[in-house]
Amino acid sequence: MRLLEDRIKLDGKVLRGNVLKVDSFLNNQIDVELLVELGKEIYSRFKDCGVNKIVTIEASGIALASITAQFFHCKMIFAKKSKTSNMSNDVYVSSAYSFTHNVTNNVVVSKEYLGEKDNVLLIDDFLANGEALNALIDIVNQAGATLKGIAVAVEKGFQGGGDKLRAKGIDLLSLAIVDKMDENGIVFRQQ
Ligand code: 5GP
């Protein structure tokens, strides 16, 4: 999506450890008008899939997931990250290793909000190795819900998580795919 690629080129900062910092519009300060355009793009791709729940993971997926849920007129659920293991029985639990924070989090969703009648679209801000999204897929499966697709703002293609999801036959929409990034700039995959 040209709008997002241009914004990443303008305001994104490439940090050490393959981290792309986009705090000025996606991760700390939110450019709501930009996210509305991203949400419309996601809606136009998945609008005929019968999506009735959008699921993301706290914290940075929440803004895009919330804005996108308005277009689908559906509820948005965010999985909570918790480091404790003594959970109640009323939750689905999976786990995800975070390369950006070097920690493994339990990922938790209340059973009350997700079940076998649900058609789910997963949304996140970034897709790198796929840990976070694989934990959400696990939770969708535990719930007996149907995964209709995944949408992310930025996929870091060189970390391979996106290609593994595509190889599983999952319908993945990445609004921008970074194939290479270093001090000389950012190269996007042609889509
Ligand atoms: P994965 O689980 O796919 O390895 O990483 C995705 C998660 O890590 C996202 O939820 C996102 O919050 C965080 N993340 C991974 N890479 C980056 C990055 O380059 N920049 C930012 N801002 N977040 C990232």
Side-chain angles (χ1 to χ4, degrees):
M1 187 184 182
R2 187 62 191 272
L3 182 71
L4 179 59
E5 292 176 358
D6 287 347
R7 189 60 181 272
I8 293 169
K9 280 197 167 152
L10 190 66
D11 289 332
K13 293 188 178 63
V14 179
L15 304 186
R16 275 189 197 174
N18 283 331
V19 173
L20 178 61
K21 193 169 173 185
V22 287
D23 278 12
S24 66
F25 61 93
L26 187 59
N27 284 147
N28 189 344
Q29 173 172 262
I30 305 288
D31 183 334
V32 175
E33 287 176 333
L34 174 70
L35 266 57
V36 165
E37 296 309 314
L38 305 190
K40 282 182 193 163
E41 191 77 12
I42 294 169
Y43 177 68
S44 77
R45 168 71 173 269
F46 291 103
K47 66 179 186 314
D48 299 323
C49 297
V51 171
N52 74 324
K53 289 274 166 72
I54 287 178
V55 177
T56 189
I57 182 164
E58 69 174 0
S60 50
I62 293 176
L64 181 59
S66 301
I67 286 170
T68 306
Q70 290 188 84
F71 297 109
F72 285 89
H73 299 285
C74 75
K75 296 283 192 285
M76 184 280 288
I77 301 165
F78 64 94
K80 297 190 175 191
K81 289 177 189 165
S82 161
K83 284 179 205 143
T84 59
S85 55
N86 58 338
M87 304 284 173
S88 90
N89 289 331
D90 298 337
V91 292
Y92 306 113
V93 186
S94 192
S95 68
Y97 176 70
S98 165
F99 291 87
T100 41
H101 297 107
N102 190 25
V103 66
T104 298
N105 291 301
N106 277 334
V107 176
V108 184
V109 168
S110 171
K111 288 186 178 173
E112 199 178 336
Y113 305 123
L114 196 62
E116 56 191 18
K117 290 190 184 136
D118 289 322
N119 292 321
V120 176
L121 176 64
L122 299 179
I123 290 187
D124 206 359
D125 59 338
F126 270 86
L127 165 57
N129 297 289
E131 283 275 325
L133 284 167
N134 279 317
L136 295 182
I137 292 168
D138 183 21
I139 283 175
V140 169
N141 290 337
Q142 287 178 42
T146 305
L147 179 63
K148 290 295 179 177
I150 299 176
V152 297
V154 187
E155 175 184 340
K156 292 189 292 180
F158 56 89
Q159 287 184 265
D163 289 336
K164 282 185 193 148
L165 293 171
R166 290 185 191 92
K168 287 184 191 164
I170 292 171
D171 190 1
L172 169 63
L173 170 64
S174 299
L175 298 174
I177 304 180
V178 176
D179 263 342
K180 191 169 176 246
M181 61 182 202
D182 55 29
E183 60 284 0
N184 299 316
I186 299 171
V187 178
F188 292 101
R189 190 178 297 178
Q190 296 289 331
Q191 299 198 70

